[in-house]
Amino acid sequence: MSYPQPYYLGPAGEISASYRPAAASPDLTYANGNTVHYLATGASTHGLFGLYRWEMGPQPSGPDPHYHRSISESFYILSGSVRIYDGKRWIDTAPGDFVHVPEGGIHAFRNESGEPASMLLHFSPGAPREAYFEGLPDLASLSPLERDEFMLTHDTFWTS
């Protein structure tokens, strides 16, 4: 393994860091109150990764088991307890726990604790997951063919 080819070829560095305060408003709020903060999108990282803060209320929520063919997904628990499925068992996580799922790995997550929970979601490479997150509320209005196309477009394959 070696370092990738450089993106920046300037002579002395540049001022280009981005800052997002913890109190920033979420980029997306679902009807159930869960929120998503777009911390670093694939578009802002040259497609290298995407990083999102996912905040869940106390009611049960989260996707069923699925996998991705072209992206890995990692979970870092910030607060509360999130149940994460690793393809064979459900793990009750705690703050500071980390789970990495490589491409093709079956996984799911749920908040079933009855308390709020939050985590960081990391995708690599940085696919445009924002369109997936934003399209989820409209799934019920799509035909079965349109839902299948949506999932295929967003590299999400359900196991059940």
Side-chain angles (χ1 to χ4, degrees), residues 35-118:
T35 63
V36 185
H37 296 258
Y38 299 169
L39 303 178
T41 65
S44 70
T45 65
H46 303 287
L48 295 174
F49 70 93
L51 183 65
Y52 307 87
R53 188 171 81 224
W54 198 272
E55 297 177 331
M56 296 172 278
Q59 69 288 346
S61 64
D64 291 329
H66 63 282
Y67 63 94
H68 310 290
R69 292 183 172 165
S70 64
I71 55 177
S72 66
E73 187 170 356
S74 298
F75 306 86
Y76 182 81
I77 308 307
L78 297 171
S79 66
S81 178
V82 179
R83 298 192 85 209
I84 298 181
Y85 185 64
D86 70 359
K88 60 184 172 192
R89 65 188 167 112
W90 285 94
I91 302 165
D92 291 314
T93 63
D97 286 352
F98 176 78
V99 177
H100 174 72
V101 182
E103 299 88 339
I106 297 170
H107 63 285
F109 66 86
R110 296 196 55 76
N111 180 11
E112 297 177 345
S113 69
E115 299 292 329
S118 65

Side-chain angles (χ1 to χ4, degrees), residues 6-17:
Y7 284 102
Y8 176 75
L9 300 174
E14 64 185 22
I15 299 170
S16 58

Side-chain angles (χ1 to χ4, degrees), residues 23-43:
S25 296
D27 293 284
L28 180 61
T29 301
Y30 291 107
N32 66 1
N34 291 355
T35 63
V36 185
H37 296 258
Y38 299 169
L39 303 178
T41 65

